[in-house]
Amino acid sequence: MDRIDESRPFIPVGIAVLTVSDTRRLDNDKSGDTLVQRITEAGHRLISRVIVPDEREAIFEQVRSWTLHDEIDVVITTGGTGFTGRDVTPEALEPLFEKRMDGFSEVFHRISYDKIGTSTIQSRATGGVANATFIFVLPGSPGACKDAWDGILRAQLDYRHMPCNFVEIMPRLDEHLRRGGKG
C-alpha cells in the first residue's frame, strides 16, 4: 500500500517539538527524546525543542510563535491529551487550527488500538494546520510518540512517499491567504 519512490529526492522539513508537562525537564523527557531521535534519523531538521507547563496560554503562544517561523514546517507536541484537569493541549491548540485533520486522530487511534486496546480512547490526539504549518498533538508517552511517528508521520513527512504526502502540499497550505482569505 505505502511505497517510497526512490526516483524522487528526499526533502528535509523543519520540525519543532513541544513537550507539555509540569514535571519533565530536558534530562528526563523520554517522549521528546523519542521524537527528536526519529526526526533526526529520518533526515529532517530539528529547529526547536521546548518544554512548557500544562497551561493553555503557554502552549498556545509557543505553538503560535512557531507557526510564524519561516523555518518550521511542522510542530509536534507531546503531552496533555488526557482527561484530567491539567490536560489542556487540545483545548489550547484546536482554536489555532485553520483546518482540522480528523484522519490523523482516527489513524493514530487505529494504530494505538493494536498496541494498547481500548485504552487508546483515553487520548485526545489531534492534528491540524495553522499558518501553513502542520501541527500534531500526541499523548505524552514514548510509545504513543513511536506509534505516531512510525505509523503516520515518517511516511507523510517523506516527499518520496506515494501516492501522496504532506511535503508535496506544503507550498500550497497558505494559498487561501494569498487569495485574500477566500476559499
Side-chain angles (χ1 to χ4, degrees):
M1 193 172 354
D2 294 340
R3 68 181 178 90
I4 298 293
D5 181 347
E6 296 293 343
S7 70
R8 298 177 88 173
F10 177 80
I11 299 174
V13 298
I15 303 176
V17 173
L18 177 68
T19 298
V20 177
S21 175
D22 290 330
T23 59
R24 293 190 189 152
R25 301 172 317 278
L26 283 178
D27 65 346
N28 68 358
D29 178 19
K30 292 180 182 174
S31 296
D33 289 344
T34 296
L35 289 168
V36 167
Q37 176 186 8
R38 281 168 161 69
I39 289 164
T40 56
E41 284 177 356
H44 296 294
R45 295 173 291 119
L46 178 69
I47 305 299
S48 186
R49 178 181 180 185
V50 173
I51 298 175
V52 300
D54 292 278
E55 296 173 6
R56 280 188 200 195
E57 189 172 320
I59 298 164
F60 178 87
E61 286 303 325
Q62 182 60 65
V63 173
R64 187 186 64 74
S65 72
W66 278 340
T67 68
L68 300 173
H69 192 291
D70 288 340
E71 289 186 68
I72 296 175
D73 304 300
V74 177
V75 173
I76 305 173
T77 74
T78 175
T81 65
F83 289 99
T84 69
R86 297 290 291 162
D87 292 322
V88 296
T89 307
E91 289 82 7
L93 296 180
E94 286 178 343
L96 188 60
F97 295 170
E98 296 158 8
K99 296 189 183 223
R100 288 182 50 103
M101 192 183 307
D102 295 330
F104 174 77
S105 179
E106 293 165 8
V107 173
F108 172 81
H109 284 295
R110 189 197 98 8
I111 292 166
S112 182
Y113 181 82
D114 291 343
K115 306 261 174 88
I116 63 170
T118 60
S119 295
T120 190
I121 66 171
Q122 293 190 33
S123 165
R124 297 178 301 133
T126 188
V129 178
N131 295 318
T133 305
F134 286 106
I135 302 168
F136 302 100
V137 179
L138 310 180
S141 74
C145 292
K146 289 176 189 175
D147 290 346
W149 183 268
D150 297 348
I152 305 170
L153 299 176
R154 178 178 59 208
Q156 284 298 301
L157 295 176
D158 190 330
Y159 177 70
R160 304 168 301 168
H161 180 265
M162 302 304 287
C164 57
N165 58 75
F166 290 143
V167 179
E168 64 192 356
I169 64 172
M170 284 179 179
R172 299 190 334 259
L173 290 177
D174 66 351
E175 63 191 4
H176 67 289
L177 301 173
R178 288 181 273 143
R179 288 185 300 205
K182 298 176 187 164

